[in-house]
Amino acid sequence: MNKSVEILVVGGGPAGLAAAAAAKEAGVKAEDILIVERDRELGGILNQCIHNGFGLHTFKEELTGPEYAQRYAEKVQAAHIPYLLQTIVVDIRTGDGKDKGVCGTKYVTAMNKQEGIFTVEAGAVVLAMGCRERSRGALNIPGYRPAGIYSAGTAQRYVNIEGRMPGKEVVILGSGDIGLIMARRMTLEGAKVKLVAELMPYSGGLKRNIAQCLDDFGIPLKLSHTVVDIDGKERVKGVTVAQVDENRRPIAGTEEYISCDTLLLSCGLIPENELSAGLGVELNPVTAGPVVNESLETNVEGVFACGNVLHVHDLVDYVSEEAESAGRNAAEYALRRKPETGQGQQRAEKESAEICDMADAGRSAEAKIQDGLAVDGDEAPNSAAKQGSGIAVKTGRGVRYTVPSVLRPQYMQEEQVIRFRVGEVCREVELVVYFDGAPVMRMKKRIMVPAEMEQVKLKKENIEKHPGLKEIQIAVEQA
Amino acid sequence: MYDAIIIGAGVSGCAVARELSRYEMKVAVLERASDVCEGTSKANSGIVHAGYDAEPGSKKAFLNIQGSRRMEALSEELDFPYKRNGSLVLCFEESDREKLQELLERGRKNGVEELRILEREELTKLEPNISEEAVAALYAPTGGIVCPFGLTVALAENACVNGVEFHLDTEVQSVEKMEKGYRVESSKGVFESKAVVNAAGVYADAFHNMVSAKKLQITPRKGEYCLFDKTLGDYVSCTVFQLPTKYGKGVLVTPTVHGNLLVGPTAEDIADKEGVNTTGDGLEDVLKRGGYSVQKIFAGKVITSFAGLRAHEAGDDFVIGEPEDAEGFIDVAGIESPGLTCAPAIGEYVAELVRKRIPAAKKTDFIAKRKGIPSVALADEAQRREFIRKNPAYANVICRCELVTEGEIMDAIHRPVGATTLDGVKRRTRAGMGRCQAGFCAPKTVEILARELGKDMAQIRKNAGESTFFAGYSKEG
C-alpha cells in the first residue's frame, strides 16, 4: 500500500466511491488515490437497502441499493483505485510546516487488523463518512430501557444482512424514509406494524415511500404524535403514544397504549463529523455538516466533503452527483498543489504558507465544537470571511440551509448547483434568488416539503454580470 | 457449607467479597441479575463525595471519609477510572450563606480536609460557565468522580481471582436460620452458609425480615439523570452541587470520568422496587434544575437518560451489622448516597464483622493487584501499537463513537466474572456508550458475544431475563 497519496477518501459508500472515480477521471493516477472503508465491503449503508428505487436519475432505471453501490464499486475496481476494507480512520491532521509535518499535507491515521496502526500522507482528503441515526437517548423518550428498541437502520441491518427478525409486533416512531421502508420490510417478513407515529404535522419521508410502504399495506400514519412512555423491563411490552400540540408537547388525555415487542426509531440522521471536527473543520449547526464553498471544500484547505457527511440527502443520485463534483475538485486541487516543476514547487510553497495561516481559523472552529457551543438551533455561521473572498450564499425566509454557503466565481463551473431544504411544508410559493437584495430569479413551486432536498442552478455567466456581488440569498415567498 | 454467602453483586457486595477474599474462607456471591453492577450501583452520580454532607457521628459520615481517602489508592491497585476533580456547593442567595457556613463546619467536624468558601470572583475563575446567580460556594478539593461500573467490576474480578464464587442469574428466594448458620434457597439451588451478608440493595429489607423480628423497610427513591455528549465534558470541571433552595433539594452537574457531562438526580419515593423507568416530568425537572447551576443546559446534546433507585431507610443512615436476633446475618442495607464512595470502607468494615463470627487466617497468596482492560481510546500511539502487536483484534474498531475494539470486547468476555450480555460489554468497555448509543456497534457486539461464548445470536441478551434481541429469522413469517 502506498503510504503517500494525492487523494485520500474517507468512506467507501456511494459518496466515497463516486468521489474517487471522479478524481481518477479528472486526471489523478489510480495509485495516487486511496479509499478507506470501515466495513467488510464497499457500498456503505446501501448494502442493507435491498429495496428498489435507486438510480432513477443517474441510470434511468430502478436499482436496489446493493445494485446501485455495485455499479460504483465496479467503476472503482475497473479503474484500479486502491481501497482498504475493515479499516477505520482515527485521526486526520494537517502538517504545520514545523515539527508536525509538511505544511498543508494531511496526515491520516488509520487502523486495521492486517497493518495495525498506520499513517498515510495525503495532498487532499475527501470526507465521505456518511451519517448516523438519532438514538432513543438523544430523543430523550421516557420509560424503561428494555431490549427491543432499535433505530430503523439497525433493524434493517438485522433483517437484511443478518437474516434476523428484531420482533413481531412493531411500532415505528418517526416517518423518515428508513422507517417507512422498514414498515414495509417488517410487514413482508410477517411482522405486524401497528402504527407509524410522526412528531411533526408532516412526514419526514418521501411521498412515494408513504404510498408504497404504508398506504399499500394499510399501515396507519399518525402525524403530530409521539411516544411518551416505553413499557417492559426486559423486552418491550408496549408503548404509549400521545398527540402533540403545535409546540410538539404531548397533550394530556390523548395517550393511547399500544402493545408491541419492538419500537423502531426513524427520527432523523446526523452527519458523522467527529473526524472533521478533530481536524478543525467548521460545521454548520443546521446541517451538522461542514461549511463548504462552491468546490465543496471546507475551511481547511484541501479537505472536501460530500454525501451525507456534508448534509443528509434523501436520494442517493444526488449524493453521487455531489460526490463526483467533490472528487473532481479534490483532483484539481491535488494536481495544482503537486510540485512537479520548479515553478510548481514555488507555487506549492506559497500556497502551503497560506494554508498554515488559515489553520488558526480551523482551530477556533474545533475549539467551538469542543466547547459545545455549536449546538442545534444556533444560527448558521457566516463563513464568508473564513473562506476568503467570495460571495456569501445566505438563507432567506423559509430556507433552513444552503450547500454551498460561499461561491468564489473564479473556481465555479459553468453551472453551480445550490442544494437546500425548506423548514416547513409550503404550497403555491415562489422560490426567489436575490443578488445583493435584488430578485434575479423567480420560480413557481406548487409544493415544497422539508423531506425533499431542493436545488437551484446558478449560471456562472449570470454571476459574472454582477461584478462586486457580495451576497446571494435564496428565499421562499408566497406567490 | 460456605463460610459466607453475599446476597447481591452491587458495589457493596463486591467490596465485601473482595475484602473477604483476603482470608481462607469459602465465599459465594449470589446475584439475580445476569451481571454484577446491575442495580443501584449502575445508575447513580458516580461521585466520590468529600464527606461534608453526612450527620457527624453517623455511619455515613465515618465511612464516607474513609472511603473517600481510600479511593485513589484503590483505583491504582485495581485499575479503574477515578479522578479527584473537586466539588462545589453553590449558594444562590445571600440569605443562604449561613447554610453554606454550616455545611463547612459540618464537613470540618467530619474530617474533610481543605474545605473553604469561594467568593463569586474566585468561583467564576474556577468555573467560567457557572450560573450568574451563584453568589458563593463551598469548595471541597478532595471531592472526586469514579466510574461506578469500573469500580464494581474491578472489585468483582479481583474477588473472583482470589477464589470467591460468583453465581449470576441466581435469585435468592428465601433465607432461613438453621441451628448453625443459614440456609439460602435460590433459583439455582440451595446454599448453606455460616454467615450471610445482605447487600441486596432495595431488597435488603425482604431478606432482613426473613431472619429478624426487628423489621426493616427500604424505600426505593428514584433518581433520574440526563447524560450529555462528550463535547460538553469540560463545561464544568468540578462536581457542582446546589444548596437546597425554595425549589427543593438540588441536582448536580458534573463531568464524568469518561468525559461526558451528567445532570441529575431527581428524588422521588416510589413503591415499585423495579421502577427504573424515566418519566417525562422527571427528565424535564432534571434539565430545569441543572440549569440553575450553569449558564446554559444544552438539551440538544443529551445522548441518553436513565433512572436509578437509591435504597433509602427511614433512619437516614446506613444499616450495617447484625440484627440482635440474627447472629451471623450481616445487613449492608440502606446504602444510598454516599454509598459508592463508602464501598471500599464498607468492604473492610463488613469483612471485619464477618471475621468476628468466622475467624480465618489471611491468605498468603492473595493477589491484590488487578489490571483493567487496556483502552485503545485512552492509549497513545505507541501503546496502541503495542496492544495491536499482542493481538491484532485491537486494531478492529467495533464502537466508533468511543473507539472500542474487538480486542477489548474479547477481553471483557473472557475475564473472570466476564461479560455475557450487551450491557455487560458496554459497562466494561464503553462500546455503545457514545453518541450513537450502540446503533452501529450493537449488531457487531452481539455477533462477537455469540462467537466467543459459543452461542447463537438469538441467545445473547441485553441484560437480564428475556431481554433478547430477535424473534426468529427473516423469511419465516
Side-chain angles (χ1 to χ4, degrees):
Chain A
M1 189 195 61
N2 201 343
K3 294 282 163 90
S4 172
V5 296
E6 290 302 327
I7 299 179
L8 188 136
V9 180
V10 188
L17 294 173
K24 163 90 182 346
E25 281 165 18
V28 179
K29 288 184 202 148
E31 65 267 28
D32 284 337
I33 305 173
L34 178 65
I35 303 170
V36 180
E37 165 57 38
R38 58 193 156 202
D39 223 319
R40 289 167 204 173
E41 49 197 335
L42 295 175
I45 214 72
L46 283 182
N47 289 328
Q48 66 181 50
C49 303
I50 64 170
H51 53 284
N52 62 356
F54 298 90
L56 283 168
H57 294 259
T58 313
F59 300 111
K60 312 294 174 210
E61 59 181 312
E62 271 203 87
L63 304 176
T64 65
E67 284 170 339
Y68 187 96
Q70 189 60 26
R71 299 235 172 152
Y72 282 91
E74 278 168 5
K75 210 168 169 181
V76 159
Q77 283 154 347
H80 302 288
I81 296 170
Y83 57 88
L84 294 170
L85 299 176
Q86 287 187 284
T87 305
I88 196 153
V89 173
V90 290
D91 184 51
I92 310 173
R93 61 180 183 82
T94 308
D96 62 357
K98 294 167 200 154
D99 53 336
K100 287 187 181 149
V102 178
C103 192
T105 296
K106 315 296 180 287
Y107 295 86
V108 181
T109 305
M111 288 161 68
N112 68 23
K113 269 188 176 177
Q114 290 70 41
E115 315 219 12
I117 186 163
F118 57 93
T119 298
V120 180
E121 292 177 20
V125 166
V126 178
L127 303 172
M129 294 90 79
C131 58
R132 64 169 173 268
E133 299 175 281
R134 187 165 282 125
S135 72
R136 181 255 172 112
L139 296 161
N140 224 0
I141 305 170
Y144 286 92
R145 302 197 296 156
I149 305 167
Y150 306 90
S151 60
T154 305
Q156 189 178 46
R157 181 191 161 110
Y158 280 136
V159 177
N160 293 344
I161 306 279
E162 317 279 350
R164 305 277 182 160
M165 280 297 278
K168 291 289 185 195
E169 289 199 314
V170 186
V171 169
I172 300 178
L173 175 63
S175 58
D177 287 310
I178 313 169
L180 300 176
I181 295 291
M182 282 311 290
R184 176 175 65 185
R185 188 84 189 102
M186 296 288 283
T187 306
L188 291 173
E189 290 293 343
K192 169 80 185 157
V193 178
K194 294 186 155 180
L195 174 71
V196 177
E198 167 60 54
L199 180 69
M200 304 303 284
Y202 48 83
S203 163
L206 297 172
K207 282 189 292 284
R208 72 172 194 217
N209 283 336
I210 303 270
Q212 295 170 7
C213 301
L214 299 188
D215 298 350
D216 287 359
F217 295 88
I219 298 167
L221 168 65
K222 281 194 175 177
L223 299 174
S224 296
H225 277 70
T226 193
V227 172
V228 294
D229 198 16
I230 299 170
D231 182 30
K233 287 165 187 173
E234 293 170 357
R235 175 83 198 193
V236 173
K237 281 186 186 160
V239 298
T240 304
V241 173
Q243 198 181 334
V244 298
D245 63 20
E246 62 278 10
N247 299 318
R248 295 181 235 162
R249 311 251 326 163
I251 301 170
T254 63
E255 296 88 355
E256 183 193 356
Y257 183 89
I258 302 171
S259 68
C260 59
D261 61 14
T262 305
L263 173 64
L264 298 190
L265 304 172
S266 180
C267 303
L269 300 169
I270 303 162
E272 284 222 289
N273 275 295
E274 283 67 29
L275 276 176
S276 328
L279 174 62
V281 168
E282 183 186 5
L283 301 181
N284 178 339
V286 178
T287 56
V291 174
V292 293
N293 61 25
E294 75 300 318
S295 304
L296 304 175
E297 186 183 19
T298 68
N299 63 310
V300 179
E301 197 172 311
V303 176
F304 300 79
C306 55
N308 282 353
V309 83
L310 176 56
H311 57 144
V312 175
H313 294 61
D314 35 81
L315 291 180
V316 71
D317 306 76
Y318 295 141
V319 168
S320 303
E321 196 182 295
E322 184 178 276
E324 280 162 5
S325 164
R328 268 195 309 274
N329 295 331
E332 269 174 35
Y333 172 86
L335 295 171
R336 201 165 69 226
R337 185 176 179 275
K338 199 173 182 179
E340 271 173 325
T341 64
Q343 207 183 353
Q345 178 76 48
Q346 271 179 4
R347 194 172 53 207
E349 279 169 8
K350 183 170 169 289
E351 291 191 359
S352 287
E354 284 167 12
I355 293 165
C356 275
D357 288 344
M358 283 179 65
D360 283 336
R363 260 192 291 281
S364 72
E366 182 188 9
K368 188 172 173 186
I369 291 152
Q370 293 302 328
D371 290 347
L373 298 175
V375 295
D376 300 349
D378 276 5
E379 294 277 307
N382 176 5
S383 290
K386 282 180 189 166
Q387 294 277 3
S389 59
I391 304 163
V393 183
K394 294 275 180 93
T395 58
R397 188 190 313 163
V399 175
R400 288 189 61 229
Y401 72 85
T402 65
V403 169
S405 52
V406 182
L407 302 180
R408 299 171 303 172
Q410 68 271 32
Y411 293 108
M412 275 174 66
Q413 304 292 316
E414 288 315 308
E415 193 173 66
Q416 175 73 44
V417 179
I418 311 280
R419 297 197 161 92
F420 65 95
R421 279 181 196 268
V422 294
E424 55 186 29
V425 178
C426 8
R427 291 169 204 278
E428 305 303 337
V429 287
E430 266 188 348
L431 185 62
V432 190
V433 178
Y434 291 93
F435 280 10
D436 283 336
V440 293
M441 279 170 82
R442 286 183 184 275
M443 283 149 285
K444 281 205 165 32
K445 292 272 180 181
R446 234 175 40 81
I447 183 161
M448 295 169 91
V449 295
E452 296 184 24
M453 188 182 283
E454 300 282 343
Q455 60 181 43
V456 286
K457 290 180 177 168
L458 300 180
K459 291 229 168 1
K460 186 178 182 177
E461 56 183 44
N462 286 344
I463 288 175
E464 282 171 343
K465 281 181 202 155
H466 293 79
L469 179 60
K470 286 198 172 53
E471 183 183 302
I472 295 171
Q473 194 184 48
I474 296 171
V476 176
E477 295 174 3
Q478 286 305 313
Chain B
M1 185 79 142
Y2 286 86
D3 290 306
I5 291 284
I6 299 166
I7 307 174
V11 71
S12 301
C14 290
V16 174
R18 197 244 176 179
E19 285 307 314
L20 289 179
S21 75
R22 294 176 187 273
Y23 303 96
E24 298 289 351
M25 278 188 196
K26 188 169 155 70
V27 179
V29 180
L30 310 186
E31 168 58 50
R32 71 179 179 132
S34 57
D35 198 357
V36 302
C37 200
E38 274 281 357
T40 302
S41 306
K42 81 172 176 194
N44 54 71
S45 311
I47 302 300
V48 180
H49 290 270
Y52 48 75
D53 258 326
E55 197 57 44
S58 66
K59 280 204 176 70
K60 277 185 184 172
F62 165 72
L63 292 166
N64 188 338
I65 293 292
Q66 296 302 318
S68 166
R69 286 183 187 154
R70 272 166 223 203
M71 198 63 86
E72 187 161 15
L74 190 66
S75 74
E76 282 158 17
E77 195 169 57
L78 296 182
D79 195 17
F80 58 84
Y82 162 79
K83 189 181 171 192
R84 194 169 288 248
N85 65 324
S87 61
L88 292 167
V89 184
L90 300 186
C91 171
F92 297 102
E93 307 271 348
E94 286 299 336
S95 56
D96 278 346
R97 275 181 180 275
E98 223 170 280
K99 286 192 213 159
L100 207 61
Q101 194 63 34
E102 273 170 34
L103 207 53
L104 172 81
E105 278 155 26
R106 195 195 305 171
R108 285 184 178 154
K109 238 180 242 174
N110 285 345
V112 183
E113 289 142 7
E114 301 172 60
L115 275 180
R116 63 195 175 94
I117 306 272
L118 300 187
E119 290 305 325
R120 173 142 187 98
E121 197 186 339
E122 207 180 341
L123 175 61
T124 49
K125 223 177 266 171
L126 184 65
E127 295 289 357
N129 295 318
I130 213 78
S131 159
E132 279 160 23
E133 308 289 318
V135 295
L138 176 67
Y139 179 43
T142 59
I145 45 182
V146 65
C147 172
F149 325 125
L151 167 59
T152 309
V153 167
L155 290 165
E157 281 183 14
N158 189 243
C160 182
V161 163
N162 286 302
V164 173
E165 297 171 17
F166 280 80
H167 298 262
L168 303 171
D169 282 309
T170 304
E171 183 167 7
V172 174
Q173 286 145 345
S174 69
V175 184
E176 210 182 313
K177 220 184 294 187
M178 303 189 301
E179 200 165 320
K180 255 195 160 178
Y182 291 86
R183 182 175 190 277
V184 178
E185 212 173 290
S186 83
S187 58
K188 294 273 177 77
V190 173
F191 295 78
E192 289 185 348
S193 178
K194 293 176 192 162
V196 169
V197 174
N198 173 22
V202 289
Y203 289 97
D205 52 352
F207 299 116
H208 169 100
N209 295 343
M210 288 174 190
V211 298
S212 172
K214 203 183 158 203
K215 299 301 180 196
L216 195 65
Q217 195 192 345
I218 304 292
T219 307
R221 182 167 286 176
K222 187 191 284 192
E224 301 187 35
Y225 292 88
C226 290
L227 185 73
F228 291 76
D229 193 276
K230 283 186 168 176
T231 49
L232 289 175
D234 53 6
Y235 194 59
V236 292
S237 64
C238 292
T239 300
V240 182
F241 297 88
Q242 303 163 346
L243 267 185
T245 65
K246 57 188 172 194
Y247 304 113
K249 194 176 180 306
V251 303
L252 61 85
V253 177
T254 185
T256 69
V257 273
H258 298 290
N260 295 90
L261 186 77
L262 181 68
V263 182
T266 54
E268 185 197 357
D269 288 352
I270 61 169
D272 182 2
K273 292 192 172 185
E274 303 289 313
V276 291
N277 56 321
T278 55
T279 63
D281 291 346
L283 296 176
E284 203 172 301
D285 203 39
V286 166
L287 297 178
K288 191 178 84 184
R289 286 172 193 275
Y292 298 150
S293 289
V294 287
Q295 287 178 8
K296 192 169 174 189
I297 287 285
F298 300 91
K301 290 273 173 184
V302 171
I303 63 166
T304 192
S305 52
F306 60 90
L309 301 177
R310 315 149 168 97
H312 177 68
E313 201 275 328
D316 226 12
D317 200 1
F318 297 155
V319 179
I320 301 180
E322 282 178 358
E324 284 165 21
D325 54 352
E327 195 181 294
F329 183 93
I330 296 154
D331 282 315
V332 187
I335 310 299
E336 57 186 339
S337 178
L340 187 69
T341 311
C342 297
I346 289 175
E348 286 182 28
Y349 184 81
V350 174
E352 276 313 299
L353 296 179
V354 173
R355 279 193 351 111
K356 269 187 203 157
R357 293 294 171 209
I358 325 281
K362 273 206 165 185
K363 278 180 192 158
T364 52
D365 56 351
F366 176 72
I367 300 162
K369 276 192 108 54
R370 171 257 185 193
K371 199 77 201 117
I373 298 169
S375 164
V376 170
L378 299 178
D380 63 26
E381 202 169 312
Q383 289 169 319
R384 286 178 181 177
R385 285 183 199 283
E386 185 58 20
F387 298 158
I388 295 164
R389 196 184 55 76
K390 285 185 188 154
N391 181 0
Y394 274 86
N396 185 23
V397 174
I398 301 298
C399 166
R400 51 176 102 150
C401 301
E402 295 290 313
L403 202 72
V404 182
T405 64
E406 186 183 0
E408 290 157 88
I409 294 171
M410 288 163 66
D411 192 348
I413 294 167
H414 295 299
R415 292 193 152 234
V417 207
T420 60
T421 63
L422 190 69
D423 282 356
V425 168
K426 178 176 85 171
R427 288 198 280 272
R428 284 170 179 81
T429 66
R430 295 191 58 74
M433 286 243 189
R435 39 179 80 91
C436 94
Q437 287 286 298
F440 285 115
C441 66
K444 293 180 180 176
T445 306
V446 169
E447 191 183 314
I448 295 169
L449 273 163
R451 184 190 74 204
E452 296 298 315
L453 297 172
K455 289 183 174 181
D456 186 85
M457 277 166 59
Q459 295 170 285
I460 302 301
R461 294 178 294 173
K462 181 173 187 287
N463 42 52
E466 302 299 309
S467 62
T468 54
F469 295 100
F470 308 115
Y473 291 88
S474 310
K475 301 295 169 200
E476 279 184 342

